[in-house]
Amino acid sequence: MDTLETSVLICDYSYHYKAFTHNMRGELQTYLFRLQTEGSCKVYVQDEEFRMTSGDLLLLKPGDDYHLVVDEPHKEGRLSSGDYYLFCEGSWIENWWKRQHRSTVSRIGLDDKLISLWRNMLLEKRRGPLEENAELKDALLRGLCLYIDRAIKENIQTDRAVSSALKLKRYIEEHATVTFKLEEAARYAGLSLSRAVRLFKEHYNQTMIQYAIEIRLNAALERMKYSDMTLEHIAETCGFASYSYFHRVFRSRMGTSPAEYRGSEESLLPELNQV
């Protein structure tokens, strides 16, 4: 029988609505991957500070010193930070790590395929030792590692127009769950509003508003599945101006109302703890 060469020790999703600090109290014993999906945080590794925003990936190896700091949100009830994280080990992971240099923090964006791999691994891990499939977890983890390398490579951009479009995309990803103006995104990318609107549509085949709504809906779906927040509170904290607007957009995209969707979800997973 083949021996599995990876082991997923912890895989989960966390979100923080107030200040939070986490110190590993010593060196890491395993590999740690952490993808910032919403908000921002500060990470200290070997006394070096990294400011992580939506779309940033943290990669740490055994022996690294790790300290996480989440600031108080600007407004009560708003999400301060959200992320996927996992601790893993194994000979395959060790070999993968040695193949090439990877920065401690890399900007890779919020690719649906990568997040889907992460989410599937999270769900498999939550089945518990009696039901989880170790071989499937091994395959998912290997796939995630290989996809991380692709994402890192694809996001090393040299073309100025591509770089500006990516800046717009990153700004929207970071601010989609709060109110922002398109002018602010354009200013962040160093563009006029008209140029920003045109450039984003050319590169991503959708408007900046459409992309912001997509992110807001994805955030809402996460909270509907993994929290007991009211639908009104979910709409507010995901950047929708009102529940009626959220209801209208949700039904248009999902073909059902938020209440009907949540009612149809018969998940056996335990609820995530809110911090």
Side-chain angles (χ1 to χ4, degrees), residues 33-273:
F33 304 167
R34 184 182 183 278
L35 177 64
Q36 189 78 22
T37 56
E38 299 178 70
S40 63
C41 70
K42 286 181 288 188
V43 170
Y44 298 89
V45 181
Q46 316 298 89
D47 296 324
E48 184 177 0
E49 178 182 317
F50 299 90
R51 183 75 180 183
M52 296 186 64
T53 58
S54 179
D56 283 342
L57 175 72
L58 174 72
L59 296 174
L60 299 179
K61 66 183 183 305
D64 285 339
D65 183 51
Y66 167 63
H67 183 58
L68 169 69
V69 177
V70 175
D71 295 328
E72 194 76 25
H74 297 300
K75 182 179 178 182
E76 185 177 355
R78 291 287 187 183
L79 181 72
S80 183
S81 176
D83 65 274
Y84 283 98
Y85 64 93
L86 69 88
F87 293 86
C88 62
E89 60 185 10
S91 59
W92 190 92
I93 296 295
E94 293 172 7
N95 291 331
W96 170 79
W97 188 272
K98 295 174 183 176
R99 288 180 196 173
Q100 65 185 60
H101 170 74
R102 303 174 187 84
S103 299
T104 301
V105 174
S106 300
R107 173 74 76 172
I108 64 169
L110 299 178
D111 187 281
D112 288 341
K113 296 183 181 65
L114 187 145
I115 291 178
S116 178
L117 280 169
W118 211 310
R119 183 182 293 120
N120 285 332
M121 189 158 48
L122 182 160
L123 295 175
E124 190 62 31
K125 183 65 178 173
R126 285 190 181 163
R127 289 179 177 270
L130 297 179
E131 294 185 31
E132 65 183 8
N133 187 318
E135 187 174 4
L136 177 56
K137 283 194 303 177
D138 175 73
L140 288 170
L141 179 55
R142 294 188 192 210
L144 180 68
C145 290
L146 297 175
Y147 209 95
I148 282 173
D149 282 344
R150 173 184 287 180
I152 291 174
K153 181 179 179 180
E154 290 181 349
N155 279 278
I156 299 176
Q157 306 291 352
T158 56
D159 182 82
R160 185 174 179 181
V162 173
S163 178
S164 295
L166 189 59
K167 283 185 178 180
L168 291 170
K169 190 170 184 283
R170 297 294 176 252
Y171 186 92
I172 295 170
E173 289 166 354
E174 183 178 350
H175 296 83
T177 55
V178 298
T179 302
F180 74 94
K181 296 180 179 179
L182 296 184
E183 290 87 350
E184 295 169 343
R187 193 179 308 118
Y188 175 80
L191 303 169
S192 68
L193 177 59
S194 59
R195 173 61 176 156
V197 169
R198 232 176 13 253
L199 190 66
F200 193 90
K201 185 65 180 294
E202 288 173 1
H203 280 81
Y204 301 111
N205 201 32
Q206 61 182 329
T207 68
M208 288 190 280
I209 291 297
Q210 287 172 334
Y211 186 54
I213 290 175
E214 180 182 312
I215 294 173
R216 289 166 180 165
L217 279 175
N218 287 338
L221 287 169
E222 288 285 351
R223 293 171 202 178
M224 290 167 71
K225 291 178 181 177
Y226 302 129
S227 82
D228 57 0
M229 295 168 61
T230 66
L231 293 174
E232 289 76 10
H233 194 197
I234 288 173
E236 178 186 357
T237 58
C238 288
F240 292 95
S242 65
Y243 177 74
S244 59
Y245 177 57
F246 168 61
H247 186 283
R248 185 165 65 254
V249 171
F250 192 95
R251 180 176 284 280
S252 174
R253 297 293 180 88
M254 305 299 294
T256 185
S257 72
E260 291 168 340
Y261 178 87
R262 176 175 257 184
S264 67
E265 286 292 306
E266 297 181 357
S267 175
L268 299 178
L269 302 177
E271 293 181 355
L272 293 179
N273 292 326

